[in-house]
Amino acid sequence: MNGGRERAKFLKAYTAGKSYDPVFEYEEPGPEVGEFCRKMGRIRGKLENCRASFFAPFYIEKIDRLRKLAELLKHRDSPAFGPELVSYFGPPSEKVLREAGRNLRMFQVADEPENLDPAAVRGIFENELRAYGLEWEVRPFLEGGAKLAVNSTRGEVYVDLSARFSENSIKRYLYHEIRTHVFRAENGKRQPLTIFLSGFPGYSETEEGLAVYNEYANGLLDPETLKKYSARVIAASMVPHASFSEIFEEMLRHFPPEKAYTITQRVKRGMIDTSLPGGYTKDYIYLSGFLKVSDFLQTRPSKSTALKTLYCGKIGLENFEMARDLLERGFLKMPRYPPEMELPAQDAVMKMQ
């Protein structure tokens, strides 16, 4: 709620040579959250009676994770909240940490001019979605910790009103957000079970890995972006023991202050007092997911066929064999929006600027 003010306050303190850890404010969960958890509890009870069903354990695990996170967010002001958030999302592996460290040392960042404002970006995305016949809404949002975001269940794309964008970044976002998140959601929506839309347990790492893989496969994973994903891993690894200002100082070794702040804010979002240890470690999955998806596709006889299977909905790599079997049996539908689908509007919408 006060992200913009705290950002300005932090950067002002930094310019003056002073140390400051932001204190963020958040909306209190409404009564609908409690009602949702109670409803999920009732559904879980029914699922327990049919555990022999093939899909019941997936739903039970997903419900348990959602209820645990909802309970965790009730106690955001507790000193234990940060460490519990780390425990919930887990740390990056040593393999991913080594890769991230190499990338940070190897790549130099050349800033691109960010000359597209949010209104222009919103128009580009609206045109792109319409070109596919997708009835998604593009909505503005403030202080979300990311320039763009997708809500699959609502069918909405959000654009940060306070951000500006480069033309190359927009091309990358079109692949990342629409050709991955939106396409997999639309394909999942057509399947007989809603879990293919809402996502199987642990699907997020594969989801973000596919998004980054799509950037890479289309020549859009530039050194700046790869360095940013790598920095998120390092920041996530520091979160269990470091304050906001300590992580920021580490990010300053690789990025200018504004970008260092953004990376740090992402891993400390959710916290009120960011001087305390703990935070949102999940950001490491962009790089870890990319490495896992890339390795997986290298082992498949046909990358195109494997990708189509992964695009049948929001599944993880661990669900691949199940999905392939269900597709062969005709239980699942082949994706209407495959990853190699043409981008009919990209050239046209970019020429609008």
Side-chain angles (χ1 to χ4, degrees):
M1 292 173 63
N2 66 336
R5 293 195 301 275
E6 286 299 286
R7 181 188 188 95
K9 191 174 180 180
F10 179 93
L11 292 173
K12 182 179 180 180
Y14 164 75
T15 302
K18 300 177 181 178
S19 180
Y20 175 69
D21 290 298
V23 178
F24 293 123
E25 298 173 356
Y26 304 90
E27 290 184 14
E28 289 294 324
E32 67 277 3
V33 176
E35 177 54 35
F36 171 79
C37 288
R38 288 189 289 273
K39 183 179 180 181
M40 289 297 101
R42 293 192 293 269
I43 293 173
R44 192 193 189 285
K46 294 177 181 178
L47 287 167
E48 281 288 353
N49 295 326
C50 55
R51 266 191 176 270
S53 165
F54 180 80
F55 287 101
F58 293 116
Y59 279 102
I60 290 172
E61 183 180 352
K62 187 170 182 69
I63 288 171
D64 287 346
R65 291 280 293 174
L66 286 171
R67 293 174 74 194
K68 182 177 180 180
L69 182 59
E71 186 62 30
L72 184 60
L73 293 175
K74 288 181 184 178
H75 308 289
R76 205 191 292 267
D77 57 349
S78 166
F81 174 75
E84 287 176 356
L85 203 58
V86 171
S87 177
Y88 182 85
F89 289 110
S93 69
E94 287 299 321
K95 176 184 176 182
V96 176
L97 272 173
R98 287 194 298 271
E99 181 70 18
R102 279 196 296 269
N103 291 340
L104 283 180
R105 292 190 298 272
M106 184 183 305
F107 295 115
Q108 297 297 317
V109 175
D111 280 345
E112 291 182 301
E114 295 182 326
N115 50 12
L116 296 179
D117 62 29
V121 172
R122 185 176 184 178
I124 289 170
F125 271 77
E126 286 174 341
N127 286 353
E128 194 73 15
L129 290 163
R130 280 199 298 268
Y132 289 120
L134 295 170
E135 296 181 358
W136 284 55
E137 294 288 332
V138 182
R139 298 186 182 279
F141 77 122
L142 288 168
E143 304 173 359
K147 287 187 174 183
L148 281 151
V150 167
N151 186 319
S152 299
T153 54
R154 290 178 177 268
E156 294 176 344
V157 177
Y158 303 103
V159 180
D160 183 354
L161 288 180
S162 65
R164 296 186 72 83
F165 303 78
S166 69
E167 291 192 9
N168 280 341
S169 73
I170 289 303
K171 292 177 183 177
R172 183 171 56 80
Y173 280 127
L174 289 172
Y175 278 90
H176 190 112
E177 306 296 343
I178 294 182
R179 288 198 72 168
T180 308
H181 299 323
V182 173
F183 275 19
R184 291 229 301 171
E186 282 295 316
N187 294 329
K189 192 185 300 182
R190 300 178 64 240
Q191 304 300 356
L193 296 173
T194 57
I195 197 168
F196 285 89
L197 170 60
S198 62
F200 278 72
Y203 86 95
S204 296
E205 187 174 32
T206 300
E207 177 92 356
E208 297 300 349
L210 279 167
V212 179
Y213 180 83
N214 281 335
E215 297 174 24
Y216 166 76
N218 290 279
L220 297 169
L221 187 56
D222 54 71
E224 180 177 2
T225 303
L226 186 55
K227 192 167 185 176
K228 177 184 68 178
Y229 291 148
S230 300
R232 290 178 184 176
V233 175
I234 302 302
S237 73
M238 295 179 66
V239 153
H241 55 80
S243 68
F244 191 108
S245 55
E246 289 169 333
I247 298 172
F248 175 79
E249 287 296 326
E250 176 63 25
M251 294 300 104
L252 273 180
R253 296 177 55 205
H254 309 284
F255 299 92
E258 289 280 349
K259 290 187 177 179
Y261 181 93
T262 298
I263 293 167
T264 307
Q265 181 193 30
R266 286 183 63 101
V267 296
K268 279 293 186 178
R269 66 191 187 274
M271 301 280 291
I272 295 176
D273 182 354
T274 64
S275 69
L276 297 175
Y280 188 83
T281 60
K282 185 183 175 183
D283 266 2
Y284 73 80
I285 67 174
Y286 290 83
L287 183 61
S288 66
F290 170 58
L291 297 176
K292 288 180 179 179
V293 167
S294 298
D295 289 346
F296 176 80
L297 291 175
Q298 288 296 326
T299 68
R300 310 315 299 180
S302 168
K303 288 184 184 180
S304 176
T305 301
L307 283 167
K308 284 181 181 177
T309 300
L310 289 170
Y311 265 65
C312 71
K314 290 185 175 290
I315 65 171
L317 291 177
E318 61 272 24
N319 311 124
F320 177 85
E321 298 297 338
M322 170 204 72
R324 185 175 66 176
D325 182 56
L326 293 175
L327 282 167
E328 290 175 353
R329 295 185 185 193
F331 179 82
L332 295 181
K333 298 176 181 178
M334 289 297 291
R336 174 179 291 175
Y337 298 94
E340 69 273 15
M341 191 170 184
E342 292 296 323
L343 284 173
Q346 180 168 311
D347 291 339
V349 295
M350 292 308 295
K351 288 176 182 176
M352 290 170 51
Q353 306 309 318

